[in-house]
């Protein structure tokens, strides 16, 4: 008889959880739809992701094909964004470069977010001397300006797009770690965590199945905001010659090449700069909307 009662209670609890999740999803979508800035940011991001996926298929020319007889041509029907100093089609290079610029941003945030989340979970859950050691390491990392730390890392590792990804991801670690640490410290005090411990669950199970899912919202918000910073920082490092190397069509490198022709052929720098600016704006708008929709303190 007890088994039947437990089964029924478990079924009721499961249905209640499903209903709560459905209600939360509906509330989230409603808040996002009402936020016009977030909708605009989402549309921008969707368009850029579309370019990321099928951009190279739409490119009318080979982005690496040098045609010196067609160099520095102004935008026209033949070359929508003109040609650079090597005669390469700028529109084609921007389409191909989307995979490099956007890919570096996502990879850097994934790298920094993964390590930062792990460190934050460990520090927040175990506390004591483990928390002290991790917190002091994070404090040291935060003592350096992010772009300066990235410059130092790339200078030590050497200029390349992979090293830029590592450098940008590295200075994203403390941001994720501090947010996750604070959220973990709040969640671990809840009664259901004590109940799970009483049932004999180990620390890994508690962190993976009971703590992490409940702190996912601030991680998602932080990731969306850091994507804008990561893309901008990666483009800045490539602009300085520490990231993508010629003839790579990465947007920051294209912007760097165009600065020498800013008066004679301003479109060389203008179009890559516009692409970077709009993408960063899209992530900032969408990130603000996510924060407003997911932050429980802003539900009312």
């Amino acid at each position: 008889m007890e088994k039947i009662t437990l089964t029924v209670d478990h079924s009721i609890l499961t249905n209640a959880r499903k209903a709560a999740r459905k209600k939360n999803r509906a509330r989230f979508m409603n808040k996002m739809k009402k936020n016009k800035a977030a909708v605009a940011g989402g549309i921008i991001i969707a368009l850029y992701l579309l370019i990321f996926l099928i951009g190279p298929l739409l490119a009318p020319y080979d982005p690496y094909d040098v045609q010196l007889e067609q160099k520095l041509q102004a935008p026209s029907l033949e070359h929508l964004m003109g040609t650079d100093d090597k005669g390469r089609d700028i529109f084609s290079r921007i389409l191909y470069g989307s995979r490099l610029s956007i890919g570096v941003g996502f990879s850097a945030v994934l790298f920094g977010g993964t390590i930062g989340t792990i460190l934050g979970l460990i520090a927040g859950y175990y506390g004591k001397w483990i928390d002290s050691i991790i917190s002091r390491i994070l404090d040291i990392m935060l003592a350096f300006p992010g772009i300066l730390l990235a410059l130092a890392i790339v200078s030590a590792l050497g200029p390349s797009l992979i090293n830029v990804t590592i450098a940008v991801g590295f200075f994203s670690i403390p941001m994720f770690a501090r947010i996750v640490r604070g959220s973990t410290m709040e969640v671990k005090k809840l009664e259901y965590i004590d109940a799970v411990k009483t049932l004999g669950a180990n620390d890994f199970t508690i962190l993976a199945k009971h703590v992490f899912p409940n702190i996912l919202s601030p991680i998602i918000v932080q990731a969306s905001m850091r994507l804008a910073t990561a893309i901008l920082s990666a483009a800045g490092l490539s602009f300085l010659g520490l990231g993508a190397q010629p003839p790579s069509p990465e947007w920051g490198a294209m912007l760097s090449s165009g600065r020498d022709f800013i008066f004679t052929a301003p479109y060389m720098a203008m179009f890559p700069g516009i692409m970077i600016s709009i993408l960063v704006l899209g992530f900032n708008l969408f990130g603000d909307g996510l924060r407003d929709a997911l932050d429980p303190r802003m539900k009312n």
Side-chain angles (χ1 to χ4, degrees):
M1 194 68 178
E2 288 183 8
K3 290 183 179 179
I4 296 174
T5 304
L6 288 173
T7 303
V8 172
D9 290 343
H10 179 72
S11 176
I12 294 173
L13 183 59
T14 302
N15 291 333
R17 286 176 177 173
K18 288 181 179 179
R21 292 194 193 103
K22 187 176 181 179
K23 185 177 180 181
N24 288 334
R25 282 196 296 268
R27 184 188 293 117
F28 168 76
M29 293 303 298
N30 188 42
K31 277 182 169 287
M32 291 296 289
K33 288 177 182 178
K34 288 182 178 179
N35 192 325
K36 294 181 180 180
V39 172
I43 292 172
I44 291 172
I45 294 172
L47 290 174
Y48 271 84
L49 290 178
L50 185 63
I51 294 173
F52 175 86
L53 294 172
I54 67 172
L57 300 176
L58 303 176
Y61 299 96
D62 184 342
Y64 300 100
D65 187 23
V66 175
Q67 299 287 340
L68 293 177
E69 67 278 4
Q70 297 185 17
K71 67 179 183 179
L72 299 179
Q73 289 190 8
S76 63
L77 292 177
E78 185 179 1
H79 299 283
L80 295 178
M81 295 183 178
T83 60
D84 62 10
D85 56 314
K86 302 292 191 302
R88 297 170 298 198
D89 182 64
I90 295 176
F91 180 64
S92 299
R93 288 177 63 78
I94 281 180
L95 291 177
Y96 271 85
S98 63
R99 291 191 171 180
L100 297 175
S101 298
I102 298 175
V104 167
F106 275 95
S107 299
V109 171
L110 180 62
F111 171 72
T114 301
I115 296 177
T117 299
I118 293 172
L119 291 176
L121 283 170
I122 294 172
Y125 183 76
Y126 290 104
K128 299 180 181 178
W129 62 271
I130 297 177
D131 181 26
S132 297
I133 292 175
I134 293 177
S135 296
R136 296 299 77 77
I137 294 173
L138 297 177
D139 289 340
I140 293 172
M141 294 173 68
L142 287 170
F144 297 92
I147 192 65
L148 182 61
L149 185 61
L151 278 169
I153 294 171
V154 175
S155 299
L157 298 177
S160 75
L161 212 53
I162 295 176
N163 293 340
V164 164
T165 303
I166 295 172
V168 175
F170 191 77
F171 79 75
S172 298
I173 291 174
M175 283 71 174
F176 282 97
R178 289 174 72 96
I179 289 174
V180 172
R181 172 183 173 272
S183 300
T184 302
M185 292 177 71
E186 291 181 8
V187 171
K188 77 172 185 178
K189 296 176 183 178
L190 300 178
E191 293 181 357
Y192 80 91
I193 296 296
D194 294 331
V196 172
K197 287 181 180 178
T198 304
L199 293 173
N202 58 42
D203 291 343
F204 179 80
T205 300
I206 294 172
L207 287 171
K209 292 186 177 182
H210 302 284
V211 176
F212 178 72
N214 286 284
I215 63 170
L216 202 53
S217 294
I219 295 175
I220 293 173
V221 173
Q222 178 65 15
S224 65
M225 301 294 285
R226 288 302 299 174
L227 276 167
T229 304
I231 291 171
L232 195 59
S233 299
L237 291 171
S238 293
F239 179 82
L240 296 174
L242 297 174
Q245 300 299 304
S248 174
E250 198 272 336
W251 294 342
M254 291 177 65
L255 191 62
S256 179
S257 300
R259 62 181 171 176
D260 296 329
F261 303 91
I262 194 67
F263 296 109
T264 57
Y267 49 85
M268 278 186 63
M270 181 179 69
F271 288 115
I274 289 173
M275 294 297 290
I276 295 170
S277 300
I278 294 176
L279 179 58
V280 170
L281 174 65
F283 276 116
N284 282 330
L285 293 176
F286 190 72
D288 286 339
L290 276 179
R291 182 193 58 201
D292 295 344
L294 292 174
D295 192 340
R297 293 168 296 183
M298 307 182 81
K299 283 184 180 179
N300 295 322

